[in-house]
Structures are given as structure tokens and as C-alpha cells.
Amino acid sequence: MFRRTFWFTTGVAAGVWATTKVNRKLAKLTPESLALQAADRAVIAGRKVKLFALDVRDGMAHREAALKDALGLNAAPPEPERHALPEQRRLVALEQHHTYNSFTRKEDH
């Protein structure tokens, strides 16, 4: 009797374990689950591409600085000469002293 109980319990445990495994695999194969897995992988790939681009940018800046040092281009560019501003000009119209009476009606519009 003990043997029968042992093998019955072992069979039930194996059946529960196999059923659980199959249900988990089937759940992973649903369209929603596949879409989520694809989205997660796309996000991870995007992060890796971004990190790669940042590494490339840092390497480019480092190489550019090394080339500028080697070619002697790191010297500050000469400062442009500062020219004095021209004198302020006065408008001829301001210098003429006109009164309102000197304009005709047509010129007023």
C-alpha cells in the first residue's frame, strides 16, 4: 500500500509540474506577451545604440583634440579689432525748422 501511495503522489507531482511548465510556455506565446517581449528588446537595443553613439562621440572629441594638439591648432584665435562706432548722424529733416503751416493739405496725408 505504501508503494501505491508513493507512486500516486509522485505521478500527481509530475503532472502538476508538467502542467505548470506547459501553461507558462503557452502564456509566453500569446500575441500580447510576444509584443511586450519585442518592445522590451527594442528598448534594450535602443539603449545599447545610444551608449554606442555616446562612446563614439567621446572618442571623436578625444581624437579631434589630439589632432589639434599635433597640428598646433589649439591656440586661441586672434581677437578681432574693435572699430569705433561712427559718429551719430542727424537727419536733415530734424535740422530744418518747419511749422505745420508750411505744409499743404496733400502733404499731410
Side-chain angles (χ1 to χ4, degrees), residues 68-86:
K68 282 184 178 181
D69 284 341
L71 296 174
L73 298 175
N74 276 344
E79 205 171 300
E81 295 179 20
R82 299 189 183 265
H83 298 289
L85 294 174

Side-chain angles (χ1 to χ4, degrees), residues 6-54:
F6 171 76
W7 287 112
F8 178 76
T9 308
T10 304
V12 169
V16 169
W17 177 79
T19 305
T20 305
K21 280 288 214 182
V22 169
N23 285 337
R24 285 183 185 166
K25 289 290 183 186
L26 288 176
K28 286 184 180 180
L29 295 175
T30 62
E32 295 85 12
S33 178
L34 292 174
L36 286 174
Q37 289 175 11
D40 288 342
R41 289 184 179 149
V43 168
I44 290 169
R47 287 181 185 156
K48 288 181 180 179
V49 168
K50 182 179 178 181
L51 290 174
F52 174 74
L54 291 174

Side-chain angles (χ1 to χ4, degrees), residues 48-104:
K48 288 181 180 179
V49 168
K50 182 179 178 181
L51 290 174
F52 174 74
L54 291 174
D55 287 344
V56 168
R57 184 178 294 164
D58 289 342
M60 286 174 29
H62 179 69
R63 180 66 177 151
E64 184 178 351
L67 288 173
K68 282 184 178 181
D69 284 341
L71 296 174
L73 298 175
N74 276 344
E79 205 171 300
E81 295 179 20
R82 299 189 183 265
H83 298 289
L85 294 174
E87 292 182 23
Q88 188 175 8
R89 299 181 197 160
R90 292 184 53 100
L91 296 174
V92 176
L94 292 177
E95 292 176 356
Q96 297 174 356
H97 299 288
H98 291 289
T99 61
Y100 181 74
N101 295 338
S102 64
F103 294 110
T104 63

